[in-house]
Amino acid sequence: MLSVDDLSITFGGLTALRGFTVDVAEREILALIGPNGAGKSTVFNIVTGLYRPSSGRVTFRGRDLLALPPHAIARCGIARTFQNTEVFRRLTVLDNVLIGRHTHLSAGALRGALGLPTVAREEAAARDAARALLARLGLEDAAGLEAGSLPLGLQKRLELARALAAEPRLLLLDEPAGGLNPTETQALMEVIVRLRDAHGLTIVLVEHDMELVMGISDRIAVLNDGRKIADGKPREIAAAPVVIEAYLGGEDD
Ligand SMILES: Nc1ncnc2c1ncn2[C@@H]1O[C@H](COP(=O)(O)OP(=O)(O)O)[C@@H](O)[C@H]1O
Ligand SMILES: [Mg+2]
């Protein structure tokens, strides 16, 4: 479904990716792991059109994504969440989700959905869909609250709801469990697996929580210093000396 081929990118003198290649199959859950600074978020930033690689190719369902601007890539069916949770803090939870639907709404309907003057049947449908999505993620009671007032765990869930509102086929999750406690992480794992199973989503996630990664991934790709050093099933990755070395090498403990 997604094919990332031989990507390289440099920032000034720093090479963040060196010939990174990975393929993602439909309905697969792929984890991208590796130490801080390995280049994981950079891969997401290239796939979503925020960064241009120095070389390489990215195709999604056969379409060349590198030829498209970010909004067109989103319209192809790719949505993401960010490592640093980015909700519109002063807007309500419901409005945050409505903004996520913008790829499907006309400008007039979006204005209407946000309470700006317009008349549209699309508006009511958008609100219903947004409420249904909030209910699916256990956020229905928070719909009218300011997003910034939610605890981090719920903000991360809201970011997920906003990404899903665009009705993507491919979801890129950048550290979805970052800052969550074990109970919240467990609940998030169940949500992610349910999304794949019930909606046929394809999911790529960057995550440090190894229990989550080992628990839900079909496959794991390991990045270190911009290079892919391993790619395989969770069991294979957990036992790979090159992975253990990348994580533990150079540290006293
Ligand atoms: N916009 C940017 N400008 C300069 N350096 C960047 C930029 N984005 C990422 N980098 C650098 O690229 C490397 C990889 O970053 P990143 O992909 O965020 O790592 P990870 O997500 O694996 O922790 C890091 O050294 C980071 O500082
Ligand atoms: Mg990152």
Side-chain angles (χ1 to χ4, degrees), residues 152-153 156 177-181 184:
L152 180 67
K156 297 205 80 120
L180 301 192
N181 67 38
E184 290 169 328

Side-chain angles (χ1 to χ4, degrees), residues 11-12 14-16 34-43 45 51 83 174-175 206 208 223:
F11 299 104
L14 183 133
T15 301
N36 280 327
K40 306 178 300 293
S41 295
T42 298
V43 173
N45 286 331
Y51 293 173
Q83 181 172 345
D174 201 344
E175 304 200 14
V206 166
H208 288 295
L223 257 174

Side-chain angles (χ1 to χ4, degrees), residues 26-251:
E26 197 147 356
R27 299 179 75 98
E28 188 170 36
I29 298 179
L30 173 80
L32 197 53
I33 68 170
N36 280 327
K40 306 178 300 293
S41 295
T42 298
V43 173
F44 281 9
N45 286 331
I46 292 173
V47 171
T48 54
L50 300 182
Y51 293 173
R52 304 284 307 180
S54 330
S55 60
R57 286 157 299 277
V58 181
T59 56
F60 177 66
R61 297 175 136 180
R63 288 188 72 177
D64 175 12
L65 291 190
L66 296 184
L68 301 176
H71 69 269
I73 292 173
R75 220 172 284 140
C76 287
I78 300 178
R80 73 177 292 180
T81 62
F82 289 87
Q83 181 172 345
N84 301 310
T85 309
E86 297 194 2
V87 297
F88 295 99
R89 301 181 59 84
R90 303 300 299 275
L91 294 183
T92 66
V93 166
L94 183 68
D95 285 348
N96 267 272
V97 176
L98 285 166
I99 283 173
R101 279 190 71 77
H102 75 279
T103 50
H104 289 276
L105 289 173
S106 66
L110 181 61
R111 286 172 60 80
L114 292 174
L116 301 169
T118 186
V119 194
R121 206 174 302 152
E122 225 183 318
E123 170 192 336
R127 289 184 161 268
D128 287 348
R131 284 189 184 280
L133 195 49
L134 287 174
R136 236 160 64 206
L137 292 178
L139 284 169
E140 62 271 46
D141 294 338
L145 301 178
E146 261 189 32
S149 74
L150 298 181
L152 180 67
L154 294 187
Q155 284 189 29
K156 297 205 80 120
R157 218 168 244 247
L158 172 57
E159 223 197 348
L160 185 55
R162 192 178 61 202
L164 289 169
E167 297 178 18
R169 304 304 307 156
L170 172 67
L171 191 56
L172 309 176
L173 304 176
D174 201 344
E175 304 200 14
L180 301 192
N181 67 38
T183 313
E184 290 169 328
T185 301
Q186 182 63 38
L188 177 72
M189 277 173 72
E190 285 159 19
V191 167
I192 292 172
V193 171
R194 186 149 41 86
L195 288 171
R196 190 269 302 275
D197 293 347
H199 303 279
L201 279 182
T202 304
I203 296 167
V204 181
L205 64 117
V206 166
E207 186 50 63
H208 288 295
D209 186 309
M210 279 304 128
E211 222 169 283
L212 184 150
V213 165
M214 291 295 163
I216 69 174
S217 306
D218 300 307
R219 198 155 55 86
I220 299 174
V222 188
L223 257 174
N224 189 33
D225 198 20
R227 292 180 210 280
K228 188 167 78 173
I229 60 168
D231 187 334
K233 295 195 182 310
R235 214 176 321 112
E236 298 161 351
I237 296 300
V242 70
V243 176
I244 295 163
E245 167 67 19
Y247 273 89
L248 303 178
E251 288 179 17

